[in-house]
Amino acid sequence: MFRLSNLLKSSVENSPSRVLNGAIAIWNFTNRCNLSCLHCYSKASLDSKDTLTTEDILNTLPKLKENGIKFIIFSGGEPLTRSDIFDIAAACKELGIITYLSTNGLYVKSSNAKKILETFNYVGISIDGSPEIHDKFRGLQGAFEESIKSVRLLNSFGISKVGIRFTITKETLPDLEFIFDLAEKENIPKIYISHLVYSGRGLDNLDMDITKEQRIKAVNYIIDKAFEYYKEGRDIEIVTGNMEMDAILFLEKFAKIYPQNTHILEEKLKKWGGNSAGVKLLNIDSEGNVKPDPFFPQTIGNILKEDFSTIWQAKSELLTRLREHPRKIGGKCENCRYIDICNGGSRSRAWAIYGDLWAQDPSCYLERV
């Protein structure tokens, strides 16, 4: 997760940046979902049955806390299909764990909107472009209208907790500008833009990914919007995910505009450290499998069979190599001067294309190393 806007502001003003003081767990509490999104890494469907009981989850939460997990992103499937989701979030709150809700918004209603805002620290609602594109991508006619209704409903309470989530693919790329216009028009305080990772339906539909030339153009547009918002004093935060190389393109552009502060940003980026799968990021899927990230091709354990502490503290070769910094990555990463910033990018994409966890990220769009 690359907090573009925060790093821009803090580097220009030489102030503390927002630092992840602890690890993030993305937990797929269910694989049940009312949509059939083309890029879904968990291949969720409405027919799926929940494997993890409330007790399984509540027993694991203290173990996460003990191991430095301070944030849990409630994901799925659609997490709001679980009747116990508010109980789980309440247990997190008691432990001092910050909770983010990642939802398609279709189960956000006037009857639960206030409770959602009171329960979760942040709510991210998926919007993948204009109504036509979004509905096609999400597999349901009218999905866009329902999702944007939920954004408006939650924002109507005057609590700045709601953002939109957008995944860049060949189909959605033409609507990237639409997403920013939507955020400006609807006063949405945060835009999270995710790059495609080759896993689940995203792997089945590999041809939906964009070219490197398209990616460079898209990322430059995103970066330019961050500079525009900062200069205008517009309070819209931009975050990108699953493409740590965005930080390097941002650094190069920042150096041209604020050369006197480049060293500040570079130090912040090195401290951020790039891809953190298996270090400050982990995933627990709907079957209880623990993985270094949601897209990872290998599991490192299962909470129904082992104590989470045993899994996370294991001295395995995989975790040891993931926790090296910078990682020893092959290909053009081997001699890249920016390896300590991006940390080699996605190991999941490397595996999907090369069958090698330690190959270069095939989606890296940088030629300057």
Side-chain angles (χ1 to χ4, degrees):
M1 189 179 297
F2 178 51
R3 301 185 184 280
L4 181 57
S5 300
N6 182 264
L7 282 163
L8 171 57
K9 178 179 173 64
S10 63
S11 297
V12 173
E13 300 175 5
N14 196 13
S15 59
S17 54
R18 187 177 176 185
V19 178
L20 177 61
N21 183 26
I24 293 177
I26 300 173
W27 196 330
N28 305 90
F29 288 107
T30 181
N31 206 40
R32 189 169 57 254
C33 188
N34 52 332
L35 297 179
S36 308
C37 306
L38 292 176
H39 67 308
C40 181
Y41 62 82
S42 60
K43 296 186 178 181
S45 74
L46 202 54
D47 297 328
S48 296
K49 304 293 183 183
D50 291 338
T51 298
L52 301 175
T53 66
T54 307
E55 185 179 10
D56 293 330
I57 295 167
L58 295 182
N59 287 342
T60 302
L61 290 177
K63 300 295 182 180
L64 297 181
K65 176 70 174 180
E66 290 169 14
N67 284 274
I69 284 76
K70 295 188 177 181
F71 303 80
I72 296 180
I73 298 176
F74 283 52
S75 189
E78 170 51 54
L80 289 176
T81 62
R82 283 195 69 123
S83 60
D84 59 358
I85 205 70
F86 293 106
D87 296 328
I88 296 168
C92 289
K93 193 171 186 178
E94 288 181 11
L95 290 166
I97 297 174
I98 294 171
T99 57
Y100 287 9
L101 175 66
S102 179
T103 175
N104 59 42
L106 272 65
Y107 287 107
V108 177
K109 307 294 181 183
S110 56
S111 58
N112 65 4
K114 186 176 180 182
K115 187 173 184 179
I116 288 171
L117 290 171
E118 291 173 346
T119 300
F120 295 96
N121 297 84
Y122 171 76
V123 182
I125 296 178
S126 299
I127 301 284
D128 284 299
S130 59
E132 181 182 357
I133 294 296
H134 178 90
D135 290 358
K136 180 182 177 182
F137 200 66
R138 296 275 159 182
L140 180 68
Q141 190 72 27
F144 175 87
E145 192 57 37
E146 292 304 311
S147 294
I148 198 63
K149 273 184 189 176
S150 67
V151 172
R152 291 168 180 158
L153 174 60
L154 292 169
N155 277 336
S156 70
F157 288 85
I159 302 172
S160 185
K161 281 187 176 183
V162 184
I164 53 177
R165 301 168 61 86
F166 174 84
T167 300
I168 300 177
T169 68
K170 198 175 294 180
E171 289 80 6
T172 64
L173 179 60
D175 278 357
L176 179 60
E177 185 175 343
F178 172 89
I179 289 297
F180 282 88
D181 290 344
L182 182 69
E184 294 167 16
K185 178 184 175 183
E186 300 283 347
N187 295 313
I188 297 169
K190 183 175 179 179
I191 305 171
Y192 175 85
I193 299 169
S194 177
H195 295 268
L196 187 69
V197 182
Y198 311 143
S199 180
R201 293 195 190 109
L203 179 57
D204 294 343
N205 298 284
L206 196 57
D207 62 349
M208 73 168 61
D209 202 11
I210 59 177
T211 66
K212 291 184 180 181
E213 292 74 22
Q214 288 174 316
R215 198 178 307 281
I216 291 172
K217 185 176 179 181
V219 175
N220 272 317
Y221 176 80
I222 294 164
I223 292 171
D224 287 344
K225 293 300 287 188
F227 280 104
E228 175 189 321
Y229 290 163
Y230 176 71
K231 289 175 182 176
E232 293 179 353
R234 186 186 286 269
D235 193 18
I236 298 178
E237 182 183 7
I238 301 173
V239 179
T240 68
N242 306 316
M243 190 62 67
E244 289 77 17
M245 288 66 74
D246 291 353
I248 298 163
L249 201 61
F250 171 61
L251 175 63
E252 293 180 345
K253 183 157 289 192
F254 184 94
K256 294 176 182 177
I257 301 173
Y258 300 104
Q260 70 279 10
N261 290 61
T262 303
H263 66 287
I264 297 173
L265 175 59
E266 191 163 2
E267 285 305 309
K268 287 178 182 289
L269 291 176
K270 288 178 179 179
K271 188 174 181 180
W272 166 65
N275 188 279
S276 61
V279 186
K280 289 189 174 183
L281 176 66
L282 67 100
N283 170 245
I284 303 176
D285 71 16
S286 60
E287 301 295 316
N289 295 309
V290 181
K291 297 182 286 186
D293 69 37
F295 317 101
F296 213 81
Q298 299 176 20
T299 63
I300 59 174
N302 186 292
I303 60 169
L304 299 179
K305 300 175 182 178
E306 301 173 82
D307 184 270
F308 176 79
S309 297
T310 302
I311 297 169
W312 194 239
Q313 295 174 21
K315 304 298 182 183
S316 67
E317 180 183 357
L318 174 61
L319 286 178
T320 299
R321 291 194 66 177
L322 284 174
R323 290 168 180 173
E324 287 182 307
H325 194 276
R327 293 174 183 151
K328 294 179 176 64
I329 306 296
K332 64 180 181 181
C333 298
E334 195 169 356
N335 298 307
C336 179
R337 69 180 184 272
Y338 294 122
I339 187 67
D340 55 346
I341 291 178
C342 80
N343 207 23
S346 171
R347 301 301 85 226
S348 301
R349 276 194 292 255
W351 176 265
I353 299 303
Y354 304 121
D356 180 0
L357 282 173
W358 313 110
Q360 68 185 42
D361 184 334
S363 290
C364 177
Y365 52 79
L366 299 172
E367 299 301 329
R368 304 169 299 284
V369 297

